[in-house]
């Protein structure tokens, strides 16, 4: 039983909540800073919880199931949230980031760099290989982050599609100042 209250206005991806990529388009917004408190029940035991949550809402005119992407949501300790991804469509790579600042204003960036670092996890179920350590750079804003998994075994199988998604630890710098936080990573399109 959780109560969630938005502390910031919705982050509209692309500035207006709509992204278009060739034959595929999507409406997309995020509530990046939800004050959360309540009770979690596990095996009859009640645990009081308090923290910060994130909610995405996305709907599209189709699902790019043959494509692949790496998608990140990040909540930093300095009250900055970032959503970014790289999308591979027809041999092209599109990158995108939206940044929600502590004061509630946001900016969007197309020129970002997302690269995998050392550390790959291989699924015993599908034999798919997932790069789990990442570097993210938004050069215009002096943002350089390292993302690593909290749990490696996070493969999901949805029909004929396999993907990895799970919680991450984040550390790095913004304009030379150290930052840290947590996030969520989704990796889709790794062959099984």
């Amino acid at each position: 039983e959780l109560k969630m209250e938005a502390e910031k206005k919705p982050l509209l991806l692309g500035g207006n909540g709509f992204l278009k990529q060739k034959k595929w388009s999507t409406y997309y917004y995020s509530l990046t800073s939800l004050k959360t408190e309540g009770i979690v029940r596990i095996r009859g035991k009640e645990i009081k919880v308090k923290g910060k949550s994130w909610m995405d809402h996305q709907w599209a005119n189709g699902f790019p199931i043959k494509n692949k992407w790496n998608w990140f949501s990040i909540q930093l300790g300095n009250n900055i949230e970032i959503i970014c991804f790289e999308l591979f469509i027809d041999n092209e790579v599109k990158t995108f980031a939206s940044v929600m600042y502590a004061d509630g204003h946001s900016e969007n960036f197309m020129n970002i760099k997302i690269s995998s670092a050392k550390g790959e996890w291989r699924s015993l179920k599908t034999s798919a290989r997932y790069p789990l350590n990442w570097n993210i750079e938004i050069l215009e804003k002096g943002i350089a982050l390292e993302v690593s998994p909290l749990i490696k075994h996070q493969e999901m199988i949805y029909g004929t599609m396999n993907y990895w998604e799970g919680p991450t630890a984040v550390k790095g710098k913004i304009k030379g100042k150290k930052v840290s936080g947590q996030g969520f990573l989704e990796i889709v399109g790794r062959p099984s």
Side-chain angles (χ1 to χ4, degrees):
E1 294 177 19
L2 300 175
K3 179 184 176 186
M4 300 180 195
E5 184 179 342
E7 297 180 302
K8 296 180 181 178
K9 64 182 180 180
L11 175 59
L12 303 175
L13 270 71
N16 62 0
F18 183 74
L19 299 173
K20 184 162 179 57
Q21 300 290 332
K22 290 191 176 182
K23 300 173 189 173
W24 176 73
S25 57
T26 182
Y27 291 94
Y28 200 155
Y29 74 89
S30 299
L31 298 175
T32 62
S33 184
L34 292 165
K35 181 180 175 185
T36 304
E37 58 183 294
I39 297 170
V40 174
R41 292 182 181 87
I42 300 173
R43 296 183 187 137
K45 184 179 177 183
E46 287 190 354
I47 303 166
K48 287 186 179 182
V49 295
K50 187 197 273 191
K52 185 173 171 179
S53 299
W54 178 299
M55 187 204 83
D56 277 336
H57 188 187
Q58 181 179 16
W59 61 106
N61 65 349
F63 193 67
I65 200 158
K66 292 181 182 176
N67 298 317
K68 75 177 199 177
W69 62 86
N70 304 309
W71 174 92
F72 305 80
S73 64
I74 296 168
Q75 294 173 319
L76 297 172
N78 61 358
N79 209 19
I80 292 176
E81 295 91 31
I82 301 169
I83 186 167
C84 63
F85 57 84
E86 56 182 352
L87 180 60
F88 300 79
I89 303 176
D90 300 330
N91 299 319
E92 285 185 60
V93 182
K94 302 282 187 182
T95 58
F96 183 81
S98 284
V99 178
M100 175 73 79
Y101 296 100
D103 65 2
H105 87 279
S106 61
E107 290 184 291
N108 300 290
F109 304 93
M110 301 292 284
N111 185 21
I112 67 170
K113 185 178 177 186
I114 298 174
S115 57
S116 60
K118 287 183 184 178
E120 196 175 60
W121 179 78
R122 183 180 166 270
S123 166
L124 295 178
K125 279 187 181 177
T126 64
S127 295
R129 294 180 180 275
Y130 299 96
L132 298 183
N133 296 292
W134 296 85
N135 295 311
I136 298 170
E137 294 179 81
I138 304 174
L139 300 174
E140 279 180 68
K141 287 296 173 178
I143 297 174
L145 303 173
E146 296 174 15
V147 177
S148 57
L150 293 178
I151 304 167
K152 290 185 178 180
H153 190 312
Q154 289 286 119
E155 183 181 49
M156 312 290 267
I157 300 171
Y158 182 72
T160 59
M161 183 174 135
N162 60 290
Y163 59 99
W164 189 100
E165 66 176 31
T168 61
V170 182
K171 65 179 181 178
K173 292 183 179 181
I174 296 180
K175 294 183 180 173
K177 291 184 180 178
K178 287 186 179 181
V179 293
S180 63
Q182 67 270 337
F184 197 78
L185 167 61
E186 181 179 282
I187 303 170
V188 174
R190 297 312 192 274
S192 60

